[in-house]
Amino acid sequence: MEADWTDETKGAVESHGKYISAIYRHMQILIAAELAPYRIGSGQYIFLMAIAGQEKITQKALSEDLLIDKTTTAKAIAKLEAEGYVRREADPADNRYQLLYLTEAGRAVVPKVQEGLNRVKSIARRGISDEEYAFMLVLLKKVLRNVSE
Amino acid sequence: MEADWTDETKGAVESHGKYISAIYRHMQILIAAELAPYRIGSGQYIFLMAIAGQEKITQKALSEDLLIDKTTTAKAIAKLEAEGYVRREADPADNRYQLLYLTEAGRAVVPKVQEGLNRVKSIARRGISDEEYAFMLVLLKKVLRNVSE
DNA sequence: TTATATAGAATGCTATTGCAACTAATGATT
DNA sequence: AATCATTAGTTGCAATAGCATTCTATATAA
């Protein structure tokens, strides 16, 4: 009674794309709510935490590590800098590079941000065992490699 | 040598959030490229396919099914209507409802869109067995339920 | 019947994100 | 040394997405 593509359509809507998209958007909302008290948006926290894990990093390296466009990185870093959490310093060896460091305020806020992220993560992981979660991560990494190369 | 939160930080950056985010963004890019010939953006295809699967649907029902904000739905439908793929008809029984249908052009483009989505999906699924993929979907559904309730 | 409440949809605003094009600095070639 | 190419980062623009608010139509209450 329906054309062939109808089933195909439902198959596609039921594929990972829909879930990835919905999870992403809902997590953005949850994270934004957690970090609002610190004036850190859902587009900035990942950069703050990456710098916390490796200071003296460049925007280019951040972009590559996080698989985010360099112009997005530039804007996120600018916001973190404006909020006083990150400072930039030109690399004396090559003035094209801006080396990124946490400020004192940045160092102070990182544990708070981590707590907020942990709360969101524990909500997202409800009812999923460590083994299942680890396996899901393996598969997500595969998918990411597939779509990003 | 590093503070305790550093490991926590790496753990968080390595959790599903980063992968979900990166997969979402890269899939948006791939899908946008596939559908550009039809002037359908990455923010509209899911609505087009949902209407194809169930015509005479309302924007409210679409928003709930797809877990997308109703204002986002309104804007996406407006674009699909402007491109001539979808038409709206006020429900004669209740004029608050706009019933959504595909136009002839919409019906014609759906299989093309499906092909493009299938191409992206097959790229994303490379090296993942049917069983693994199915299991990943189960877990993604769990995560989605957790973050959307 | 009129006033209030509710529901679906639309609009204005803002945040996130990426592309194209640009600037500034370094490196390579002649 | 001067020209050209490459690289890191910035800026302008547009698309996606959600919140707050408004609009319009229906339902409920007085």
Side-chain angles (χ1 to χ4, degrees):
Chain A
M1 70 183 283
E2 299 265 12
D4 277 337
W5 52 260
T6 305
D7 285 347
E8 286 297 307
T9 300
K10 283 177 184 164
V13 169
E14 285 299 308
S15 75
H16 70 282
K18 174 185 171 183
Y19 298 105
I20 294 283
S21 160
I23 293 168
Y24 170 76
R25 288 179 288 101
H26 282 87
M27 286 195 56
Q28 293 267 89
I29 293 170
L30 294 177
I31 291 172
E34 285 282 350
L35 306 185
Y38 316 112
R39 303 177 53 82
I40 296 171
S42 64
Q44 291 114 54
Y45 79 92
I46 199 170
F47 296 99
L48 179 80
M49 302 312 278
I51 296 169
Q54 187 196 343
E55 287 195 84
K56 209 177 155 177
I57 195 170
T58 65
Q59 293 185 193
K60 171 117 167 64
L62 269 183
S63 301
E64 287 170 354
D65 290 355
L66 302 175
L67 292 167
I68 293 177
D69 188 84
K70 62 178 181 170
T71 69
T72 301
T73 300
K75 288 157 192 166
I77 298 301
K79 287 199 177 183
L80 286 170
E81 194 182 26
E83 290 296 336
Y85 293 131
V86 165
R87 78 185 153 80
R88 288 193 268 203
E89 208 172 272
D91 186 342
D94 187 334
N95 279 296
R96 287 174 301 184
Y97 292 84
Q98 298 288 325
L99 304 179
L100 304 173
Y101 303 87
L102 293 185
T103 62
E104 282 311 307
R107 241 176 281 281
V109 86
V110 162
K112 308 281 189 184
V113 171
Q114 187 59 57
E115 284 165 27
L117 295 178
N118 287 345
R119 275 191 290 273
V120 172
K121 182 176 174 179
S122 73
I123 289 170
R125 277 199 52 174
R126 259 176 214 156
I128 297 175
S129 72
D130 289 352
E131 293 73 25
E132 288 173 328
Y133 189 75
F135 187 55
M136 183 175 74
L137 284 191
V138 169
L139 293 175
L140 289 178
K141 281 184 204 182
K142 272 193 192 180
V143 172
L144 177 54
R145 202 176 323 117
N146 288 337
V147 297
S148 67
E149 63 191 14
Chain B
M1 69 183 284
E2 300 265 14
D4 277 339
W5 53 259
T6 306
D7 286 346
E8 286 297 307
T9 301
K10 284 177 184 164
V13 170
E14 287 297 311
S15 74
H16 69 283
K18 174 185 170 183
Y19 298 105
I20 294 283
S21 160
I23 292 169
Y24 170 76
R25 288 181 286 99
H26 283 87
M27 285 195 57
Q28 292 267 90
I29 293 169
L30 294 177
I31 290 172
E34 285 282 349
L35 306 186
Y38 315 111
R39 305 177 52 83
I40 296 171
S42 64
Q44 291 115 52
Y45 78 90
I46 198 170
F47 296 99
L48 180 78
M49 302 312 277
I51 296 170
Q54 189 195 342
E55 288 195 84
K56 209 177 154 178
I57 196 172
T58 65
Q59 292 184 193
K60 174 128 168 58
L62 268 183
S63 301
E64 287 170 355
D65 290 356
L66 301 175
L67 291 168
I68 293 177
D69 188 86
K70 61 180 181 167
T71 68
T72 301
T73 300
K75 288 158 192 164
I77 298 301
K79 287 199 179 184
L80 288 170
E81 193 181 27
E83 290 296 337
Y85 293 130
V86 166
R87 79 185 153 80
R88 288 194 267 206
E89 207 173 273
D91 186 343
D94 189 333
N95 278 296
R96 287 174 301 184
Y97 291 85
Q98 298 289 325
L99 304 180
L100 304 173
Y101 302 87
L102 293 185
T103 62
E104 282 311 307
R107 240 175 281 281
V109 87
V110 162
K112 308 282 188 185
V113 171
Q114 188 57 58
E115 285 166 25
L117 295 177
N118 286 345
R119 275 191 291 273
V120 172
K121 183 176 174 179
S122 73
I123 289 171
R125 278 199 51 172
R126 257 175 215 155
I128 298 176
S129 72
D130 288 352
E131 292 72 25
E132 289 173 328
Y133 189 75
F135 188 55
M136 183 175 75
L137 285 191
V138 168
L139 293 175
L140 289 177
K141 281 183 203 182
K142 272 193 191 180
V143 172
L144 176 55
R145 202 175 323 118
N146 287 337
V147 297
S148 66
E149 64 189 15

